[in-house]
């Protein structure tokens, strides 16, 4: 699961996610190298979507 591919700048991706999902906060979108599962888990809990669905959405932004 640690093969999350983030295109470009994480700050850009974070901004796009916040635009799409207004309920997300900066704390929800904290990303650290090697902590992809933790990020996906927070987003899964907040958005009620499957990890694979969230992962795919992030990669396609």
């Amino acid at each position: 699961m640690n093969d999350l591919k983030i295109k470009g700048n994480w700050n850009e991706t974070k901004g796009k996610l916040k635009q799409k999902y207004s309920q997300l906060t900066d704390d929800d979108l904290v990303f650290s190298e090697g902590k992809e599962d933790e990020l996906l888990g927070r987003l899964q809990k907040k958005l009620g979507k499957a990890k694979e669905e969230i992962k795919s959405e992030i990669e396609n932004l």
Side-chain angles (χ1 to χ4, degrees), residues 20-47:
K20 189 168 184 174
Y21 302 105
S22 60
Q23 72 267 36
L24 293 177
T25 65
D26 285 333
D27 288 341
D28 295 326
L29 296 168
V30 171
F31 177 74
S32 303
E33 282 295 320
K35 301 260 184 169
E36 293 89 352
D37 280 339
E38 190 176 307
L39 169 68
L40 291 171
R42 281 194 307 270
L43 294 177
Q44 181 182 21
K45 186 176 182 180
K46 194 86 171 206
L47 301 175

